[in-house]
Amino acid sequence: EAGVAQSPRYKIIEKRQSVAFWCNPISGHATLYWYQQILGQGPKLLIQFQNNGVVDDSQLPKDRFSAERLKGVDSTLKIQPAKLEDSAVYLCASSLAPRGSGFGNEQFFGPGTRLTVL
Amino acid sequence: AQSVAQPEDQVNVAEGNPLTVKCTYSVSGNPYLFWYVQYPNRGLQFLLKYITGDNLVKGSYGFEAEFNKSQTSFHLKKPSALVSDSALYFCAVRDMGGSTLGRLYFGRGTQLTVWP
């Protein structure tokens, strides 16, 4: 079974530039998550999709971050303009739909994109 | 508010010795608890989870964890550590009673080092 794919693996940009990350979840996984992992901290949820609808984006800095999952499969996370504090690893994860007892479903993570903002 | 605490930034053990990585949590409802492991330059890998039932759950690579409701803890354990267990371990909780139903909260992580 193929895992969660992410690209690029590494990205270096200057502040105020824009950047986009791509994620392709495990086939059949209806739920897709984007996390931000700052060095020395645990992952923090940015946005959760159920199919192509947003379930939770309350922690997404919407003035600069945006995400879409137009066809309910792959997803793109964009930052525009980037700030120094956006330097982090951006992790994409997917899981089976968490409804009912499905909230116990584990999430499967991609390798992440390491973003450095100079 | 939901939170997860991993009180030790680092745990060092000798190969063959038992290991424990500690985790405590705070939620408003029943917790769903998870352990993940992260190797360098790789994403998180699921180890085990507690949803309901037996307080002692067994997971991948010989790891197990004990759910203790009165102490709000979910410590990760392994009877005999291997050098290959050296990695960053994250505890996570899903609050089934809060307003953020379904959101997973992670601890800061504990770096486990097993020396030969």
Side-chain angles (χ1 to χ4, degrees):
Chain A
E1 173 183 89
V4 176
Q6 289 188 247
S7 67
R9 291 296 310 276
Y10 305 91
K11 190 74 176 178
I12 300 174
I13 62 172
E14 295 189 349
K15 60 183 179 183
R16 291 187 290 273
Q17 286 186 324
S18 62
V19 64
F21 312 128
W22 175 82
C23 172
N24 192 34
I26 292 173
S27 177
H29 281 189
T31 308
L32 186 147
Y33 313 80
W34 283 102
Y35 288 89
Q36 181 191 58
Q37 185 179 15
I38 293 173
L39 187 65
Q41 298 181 21
K44 172 187 168 185
L45 181 70
L46 292 175
I47 188 167
Q48 176 183 341
F49 291 95
Q50 181 85 357
N51 297 309
N52 61 350
V54 175
V55 173
D56 183 355
D57 66 353
S58 59
Q59 300 188 121
L60 186 74
K62 298 181 186 64
D63 58 333
R64 297 184 301 105
F65 286 64
S66 64
E68 60 184 15
R69 193 185 184 198
L70 293 176
K71 297 183 179 179
V73 180
D74 57 349
S75 175
T76 302
L77 176 70
K78 297 180 181 178
I79 308 174
Q80 182 179 7
K83 292 186 175 181
L84 296 177
E85 59 261 36
D86 297 333
S87 294
V89 175
Y90 290 84
L91 295 166
C92 179
S94 70
S95 72
L96 296 170
R99 293 199 196 97
S101 61
F103 280 104
N105 293 328
E106 58 266 30
Q107 296 178 18
F108 294 82
F109 285 80
T113 296
R114 183 176 298 276
L115 174 66
T116 301
V117 182
L118 303 176
Chain B
Q2 303 86 347
S3 68
V4 179
Q6 294 182 242
E8 301 157 316
D9 290 336
Q10 281 205 319
V11 170
N12 299 308
V13 298
E15 188 172 34
N17 282 1
L19 69 87
T20 299
V21 182
K22 296 180 180 177
C23 172
T24 59
Y25 64 89
S26 173
V27 296
S28 57
N30 289 325
Y32 283 11
L33 293 154
F34 301 80
W35 276 101
Y36 286 84
V37 60
Q38 187 174 36
Y39 297 98
N41 298 317
R42 296 179 67 176
L44 279 69
Q45 295 178 33
F46 169 76
L47 275 181
L48 51 78
K49 64 184 177 184
Y50 171 83
I51 305 301
T52 186
D54 285 343
N55 290 342
L56 184 65
V57 294
K58 295 186 183 297
S60 307
Y61 312 121
F63 283 93
E64 58 189 28
E66 186 168 11
F67 171 62
N68 187 316
K69 188 173 183 177
S70 62
Q71 296 185 6
T72 62
S73 67
F74 189 55
H75 300 331
L76 181 70
K77 300 181 180 183
K78 187 173 183 180
S80 179
L82 300 172
V83 172
S84 57
D85 293 330
S86 299
L88 187 58
Y89 290 80
F90 289 96
C91 181
V93 65
R94 175 168 275 157
D95 186 353
M96 300 309 296
S99 60
T100 57
L101 187 64
R103 184 185 297 173
L104 204 56
Y105 292 88
F106 285 86
R108 295 173 60 89
T110 299
Q111 179 66 47
L112 172 67
T113 302
V114 182
W115 72 82

